[in-house]
Amino acid sequence: MGLSGLEIYKQLPKTNCKECGMPTCLAFAMKLAAKQAELSACPYVSDAAKQALDAASAPPIRLVTVGVGDQKLEVGNETVMFRHDKTFYHAPGIFARVKDNQADAAAAAKTIADYKVERVGLQMAAAGVAVENASGDAATFAAAVQDVAQACDGALILLSKDPAAMAAALPAVADRKPLIYAADAENWQAMVELAKKHSCPLAVREAGSLSALASLAEQVTKAGVADIVLDPGARSAAANLAAFTQLRRLALRKNLRLVGYPLIGFPGEAAASAEEETAFAGQQVMKYGGFIVLDHFDPASIYALLTLRLNIYTDPQKPIQVKPEIYAFGEVDQNSPVLVTTNFSITYFSVAGEVEASGVPTYLIVSDAEGLSVLTAWAAGKFDAEKIAKTVKACGIADKVSHRYIVLPGYVSTLSGEVEEELPGWKALVGPREAVDISPYLRRTWPTIVGKR
Amino acid sequence: MPVTVEVPTEKWAGKVIEVKLGATKEEGGSRAGTVTVGGETTLPFLTFEGGIPNQPVVAAEVWDVEPADWSPVLLEAWGNAVKDPVVWAQQAAALGAKLIALKLRSTDPDGQNASPAEAAATVKRVLAAVDLPLLVYGPGQAEKDNDVLVAVAEASAGERLALGLCEQSNYRTIVAACLGNGHVAIGRAPIDVNMQKQLNILMSDMGLPLDRILMDPTTGGLGYGIEYTYSVMERLRFGALQGDRMTQLPLINTVGEEAWRQKEAKAAEGVPEAWGDLAKRGLSWEMLTATSMLEAGSDIVVLRHPNSIGIINGVIAKLMGR
Ligand code: SF4
C-alpha cells in the first residue's frame, strides 16, 4: 500500500522552501500521497529518504514473471484480501507435474501445454509444466528438462532440491526463464548463485514457521535475488489455507516486504484422490495461490478449475456485458423466431451457444439489464416489460420479421402480459427456463406455433 | 539476523447463530440425532483464530418423483433409487449425507400435481425410513408451495424440519407454518446482501426466532455467476462476524441443482474435446461449486451426485484439519 501524506512528510526536509512548487513540504507530501506529484520535484530530499520512499511505493506483493514471450506468466501485485474489496489482478498459473524418470514425460508435457479451452470468448489454458527430479540423478533431470522444453512451449518449473541437478538442467532452458524450485535452509546459497547466474526466479521453501520462512527469504534477497516465490511448506488443506492467508495478511496489512511474494502450492500432495486434488486446487485459486502444481491432468477437471479461476478473477466492479442490440444467428429471414435475453455475458453466451447449436436461424434481442442474469435482473427490477419493450422498439426487429411473436425467458413468464401491453400487436410467448432447452424449443415447439398462425 | 514474524490473527466480536435441525424423541420428534449448523466465530476454516463448533454439512437432494430432466450422469449413478424417495434417501444416508433435502416435485401443478396430503404422507414415509433431519422443499410455485408446506408442517409437527423456500414475495404462510409446528424456515434472496437482510427482518418480525432461519443467498453455478454468490456470502459472513445481527444466520447452498443443470454437466456430445469426459466433468462442476461455497461460508451444501457426498465430506474434514 502507498504511504500516507504524513508518513511521506516525515521523510522530507521540512524547510518549506517552495522549490517544488508547493507552499509547504506538507502540501507536497499530500500531493505525493495522491500520486499527483513526483518526488524528483524536491531537490533537497536525502538519498536515504528517497530509498525509503521508493521502497514504500513498491507493490506489497511483488510481480514475479515466469516464462517468456506468449507463454509469460505474471503473478503478484495483489492488493486485497477479498475480491469484493476491489478485485484480484493476476490469476494463478496452473501447472501439471511430470517426473524426470517417467517414460513419456515429453509427451505428457506436450498434452498439458497444448491444452486450450474457450469460454465466453476467452482462451483459457494451463500455464505449463513442472518437471520433478524424481530420479535424484542430475543427468536424468537435465535430459528430461531438455526433452520437455523441446516438446512444449509452456512456462516451466524445475523441481529439485539438489543444486547439482539444477545446475545441470538450467543451461539448456534458462532463456525460457523457468521458476527454480526450491531454495531451502540447506541449499539456499547454491540455489541463489544459480538463480543469479541464469537470471531466473527462485522459490524459497521453509516449512518450519513463518518466521523461518521470512528469515530465509531475507537471506535470499540480501544475496541478490529479487524475484522470489514462497512455499510455506504446509501441505494439508487446512494448514495451507492458514499459511497462505497469514502470508497475504502480513504482506498487505503489515506491509512486511520479506514475505511480499507470490505463493506456490501443491494441492495433490494432501489429497486422497484426484477429485480431492481438484477441490484443494480450487481452494488455492480462491485463497491466494500464485502457482498451483497439479499431479493429475484431466481435461474434465482442468476445465472446471480454469472456469473457477476465470470467475474468481473477474472484476466485481465490471461485470462482463454484451452490447444491448439485436443479434442474428444463421441465415435469418422474415419468419425467424425472436428471442429475448439480458446483457449479462454468461447469460448471453449460454443462450447464443444453444441457439447456434440448434441450427435454427434466429434473432436474439439483448436487453440492457445492467449486466445481470435473467432471474437476478428481474428480481432487481432491471429486466421488466418496459425495458424489454424499449429494446424491441429500438432495435428495429419489426422491420426484419413479418410475424409478431417474441419469446421471453421462461423465468419471467409473469412478464408476458405486461410486455404485450407495452408492445401492442405483439404476442409474448414463454420460452424455456434454461438455455439447455432452447434447442428443442426452436426445433420442435416454435414450428408448431408459427404453423398455427 | 533471524526475523520474528508475528502471526496476524483477527478477533471478531460477532458469532453466527446456531440453528438446530431435526428433533429427537425427547424433543418431540423422531430423529436419532440432530444436526446443528452455525456458531462460527471466524472466517471459513480459519480455525487458528476463532471457533467453528459445527463443521459444515452435506445434504443430499432427493425428489419424490423420478427427475426426468436430470443429467444422464446423475440418473445412471443413482440407478433405480430415483424411483422411490425412501430408497433414495436411505442410500444417501448410507453414503454419508448428514441431511436429506426432500423436494416434493410431485406436487408441481404443471406436472403430476399431487395433493398436499399426498406430499405430507411422502414426508412421513421418508421420516420413517431414515433417521436424519430433513429439509423439505415445495414444487417452487408460490401458491402450491404454501399449500404443500402447510400440510407437511402440520403432519410432521415437532420434527424441526427446515421448510423452503421463503422469498420476499412469499414467506408469510411458510413462516407461520414453521412457527406453529416447531420447524425451521429457509429464506432465499436473489444474490444481494441487503435483500437477504430485509427478508430476515420480515421473517423474524413475524415472531420466528433467528435460530430457526437459514439463509439461501441463491447459488450461481460454476461458470454461471458463482462469483456473485461467493462475494455476497463473504460479505454476509463478514457482517455476521462484525456483529450485524441480520447477517448472522447459517448459509445454505443448492449446489447440486445449480451445478448439474448447466450444459457442462449435461452434454456429452457436440461439445469441445477440451471439456473432457462428461461424467468426470459433471462431478468436477458440482465439487468445485461446493468447495467455493464452503470457502465463502456455506454451512449446508445440498448435493446431487452420490459420489459427491463422500468426496465433499472428505474435503470438509480436511479443511477442518481433521
Ligand atoms: S522543495 Fe522539498 S524542501 Fe522545498 S518545500 Fe518542497 S518538499 Fe519542502
Side-chain angles (χ1 to χ4, degrees):
Chain A
M1 289 289 102
L3 293 178
S4 72
L6 275 180
E7 284 166 316
I8 296 172
Y9 174 66
K10 284 182 198 151
Q11 306 279 348
L12 296 177
K14 306 192 191 72
T15 54
N16 301 336
C17 76
K18 300 189 177 50
E19 277 185 48
C20 58
M22 298 303 296
T24 61
C25 293
L26 180 61
F28 181 62
M30 293 300 174
K31 281 270 175 198
L32 280 179
K35 301 214 184 328
Q36 291 163 347
E38 295 285 331
L39 187 60
S40 55
C42 168
Y44 306 110
V45 63
S46 70
D47 283 348
K50 212 180 258 170
Q51 265 188 6
L53 291 173
D54 279 351
S57 62
I61 296 176
R62 187 179 173 86
L63 190 70
V64 172
T65 305
V66 170
V68 291
D70 290 351
Q71 305 296 320
K72 186 170 77 175
L73 168 71
E74 289 182 316
V75 182
N77 257 2
E78 300 300 336
T79 59
V80 292
M81 298 295 297
F82 300 95
R83 61 185 293 284
H84 63 255
D85 285 338
K86 188 159 175 57
T87 188
F88 291 171
Y89 292 98
H90 293 95
I94 311 276
F95 291 79
R97 170 159 31 197
V98 299
K99 297 185 171 165
D100 65 353
N101 54 4
Q102 166 184 341
D104 62 343
K110 186 166 166 32
T111 312
I112 296 157
D114 285 353
Y115 181 81
K116 270 199 229 47
V117 65
E118 197 194 291
R119 192 170 181 91
V120 291
L122 298 168
Q123 280 287 348
M124 308 192 297
V129 181
V131 190
E132 180 179 334
N133 182 205
S135 67
D137 178 64
T140 310
F141 188 51
V145 167
Q146 201 166 356
D147 284 352
V148 165
Q150 267 164 14
C152 76
D153 60 357
L156 297 173
I157 302 179
L158 309 186
L159 308 171
S160 177
K161 59 180 193 310
D162 174 12
M166 201 60 82
L170 269 169
V173 294
D175 59 345
R176 298 263 296 260
K177 222 175 171 199
L179 173 64
I180 302 175
Y181 178 99
D184 59 27
E186 261 96 66
N187 69 15
W188 69 270
Q189 276 137 324
M191 290 294 192
V192 161
E193 288 318 310
L194 289 170
K196 278 161 58 180
K197 180 174 170 199
H198 297 286
S199 305
C200 290
L202 177 62
V204 173
R205 175 184 171 152
E206 170 55 61
S209 68
L210 295 188
S211 296
L213 177 65
S215 304
L216 186 55
E218 182 175 48
Q219 285 175 302
V220 168
T221 323
K222 284 199 171 140
V225 177
D227 288 323
I228 291 177
V229 170
L230 298 179
D231 178 2
R235 287 298 179 263
S236 83
N240 191 77
L241 176 66
F244 276 24
T245 302
Q246 289 165 351
L247 285 167
R248 177 96 148 203
R249 275 189 200 162
L250 284 166
L252 295 186
R253 298 209 175 137
K254 306 282 174 199
N255 224 0
L256 184 67
R257 303 274 151 184
L258 295 178
V259 296
Y261 299 102
L263 308 174
I264 185 169
F266 299 82
E269 293 185 5
S273 62
E275 287 84 6
E276 256 189 31
E277 178 184 65
T278 304
F280 297 156
Q283 182 205 37
Q284 293 185 8
V285 166
M286 291 177 275
K287 295 297 176 190
Y288 319 134
F291 300 83
I292 301 174
V293 182
L294 301 174
D295 288 313
H296 298 87
F297 191 85
D298 184 323
S301 51
I302 294 292
Y303 178 38
L305 202 54
L306 291 172
T307 303
L308 177 65
R309 187 182 73 171
L310 179 71
N311 290 164
I312 293 294
Y313 277 78
T314 297
D315 186 345
Q317 264 96 51
K318 288 185 224 137
I320 311 167
Q321 301 183 13
V322 291
K323 213 169 147 212
E325 60 183 19
I326 183 161
Y327 294 83
F329 295 88
E331 301 288 318
V332 284
D333 61 28
Q334 55 173 8
N335 295 315
S336 299
V338 180
L339 310 188
V340 180
T341 192
T342 75
N343 69 331
F344 179 39
S345 65
I346 289 160
T347 304
Y348 169 80
F349 284 112
S350 38
V351 170
E354 295 303 322
V355 167
E356 209 135 16
S358 75
V360 179
T362 299
Y363 285 110
L364 177 60
I365 295 176
V366 171
S367 182
D368 184 2
E370 295 181 21
L372 298 173
S373 68
V374 170
L375 256 187
T376 320
W378 173 73
K382 315 275 188 212
F383 187 56
D384 57 18
E386 211 178 309
K387 282 245 171 84
I388 294 170
K390 209 175 125 199
T391 322
V392 169
K393 284 179 192 156
C395 74
I397 185 69
D399 301 328
K400 295 188 191 331
V401 294
S402 59
H403 65 79
R404 286 293 177 265
Y405 290 100
I406 171 168
V407 183
L408 301 180
Y411 277 115
V412 293
S413 58
T414 47
L415 288 181
S416 55
E418 292 166 49
V419 169
E420 287 175 4
E421 265 171 47
E422 297 274 343
L423 288 172
W426 286 82
K427 182 140 181 49
L429 304 174
V430 177
R433 289 180 158 214
E434 305 297 341
V436 147
D437 301 316
I438 286 175
S439 183
Y441 179 87
L442 289 176
R443 280 186 283 118
R444 291 198 286 274
T445 315
W446 171 256
T448 67
I449 294 166
V450 284
K452 271 190 246 154
R453 242 186 327 156
Chain B
M1 270 297 284
V3 195
T4 308
V5 170
E6 216 179 302
V7 172
T9 56
E10 281 170 354
K11 283 282 164 248
W12 301 94
K15 178 183 177 181
V16 179
I17 292 167
E18 294 192 309
V19 172
K20 193 169 82 170
L21 301 166
T24 60
K25 271 205 189 71
E26 298 74 49
E27 297 164 329
S30 63
R31 307 299 80 202
T34 60
V35 169
T36 300
V37 291
E40 297 91 335
T41 53
T42 182
L43 290 170
F45 307 110
L46 297 188
T47 42
F48 62 89
E49 58 189 5
I52 303 181
N54 310 294
Q55 66 177 40
V57 293
V58 168
E61 183 176 334
V62 168
W63 284 23
D64 69 341
V65 283
E66 197 174 336
D69 64 344
W70 273 24
S71 166
V73 177
L74 290 171
L75 295 177
E76 194 175 317
W78 282 111
N80 281 328
V82 297
K83 294 185 193 308
D84 181 350
V86 163
V87 177
W88 193 349
Q90 283 170 331
Q91 286 193 11
L95 288 166
K98 301 290 186 291
L99 300 166
I100 301 295
L102 180 60
K103 289 212 172 154
L104 300 170
R105 290 301 294 264
S106 69
T107 61
D108 186 349
D110 299 327
Q112 286 183 23
N113 202 15
S115 72
E118 287 172 89
T122 305
V123 174
K124 295 291 271 186
R125 279 206 298 137
V126 175
L127 278 170
V130 294
D131 53 17
L132 302 178
L134 255 57
L135 322 174
V136 181
Y137 291 91
Q141 195 249 4
E143 263 173 60
K144 192 68 183 271
D145 271 4
N146 290 344
D147 292 349
V148 167
L149 293 174
V150 167
V152 168
E154 288 170 356
S156 301
E159 290 285 4
R160 213 174 165 94
L161 311 170
L163 301 180
L165 289 164
C166 295
E167 295 179 278
Q168 189 149 349
S169 56
N170 187 58
Y171 64 93
R172 292 177 168 276
T173 309
I174 302 170
V175 170
C178 290
L179 261 178
N181 300 284
H183 301 303
V184 170
I186 307 171
R188 173 180 284 183
I191 321 193
D192 187 294
V193 170
N194 290 325
M195 289 168 92
Q196 192 88 51
K197 287 170 68 174
Q198 177 64 25
L199 180 60
N200 293 337
I201 293 170
L202 292 170
M203 289 167 73
S204 56
D205 275 357
M206 284 183 67
L208 192 65
L210 288 178
D211 69 357
R212 280 165 62 189
I213 301 177
L214 297 172
M215 296 196 288
D216 177 339
T218 303
T219 304
L222 178 61
Y224 293 87
I226 197 170
E227 68 273 29
Y228 294 88
T229 306
Y230 179 86
S231 285
V232 159
M233 287 170 68
E234 283 199 325
R235 289 169 56 208
L236 281 167
R237 185 50 53 86
F238 236 71
L241 295 176
Q242 280 169 341
D244 179 354
R245 191 91 181 130
M246 283 303 152
T247 61
Q248 287 180 331
L249 311 176
L251 288 155
I252 176 169
N253 292 92
T254 50
V255 165
E257 180 179 353
E258 297 307 321
W260 286 100
R261 73 192 174 112
Q262 311 303 352
K263 183 177 176 183
E264 286 80 354
K266 275 187 169 171
E269 277 157 39
V271 300
E273 204 180 310
W275 284 26
D277 172 70
L278 169 63
K280 281 189 194 161
R281 189 198 321 142
L283 197 60
S284 299
W285 226 257
E286 177 167 51
M287 263 175 14
L288 277 181
T289 305
T291 307
S292 312
M293 297 297 93
L294 289 165
E295 204 66 70
S298 192
D299 293 285
I300 303 173
V301 285
V302 185
L303 304 179
R304 280 192 173 171
H305 196 288
N307 295 356
S308 297
I309 299 171
I311 294 169
I312 295 299
N313 273 338
V315 167
I316 292 171
K318 289 197 171 167
L319 283 168
M320 290 295 296
R322 295 195 174 129

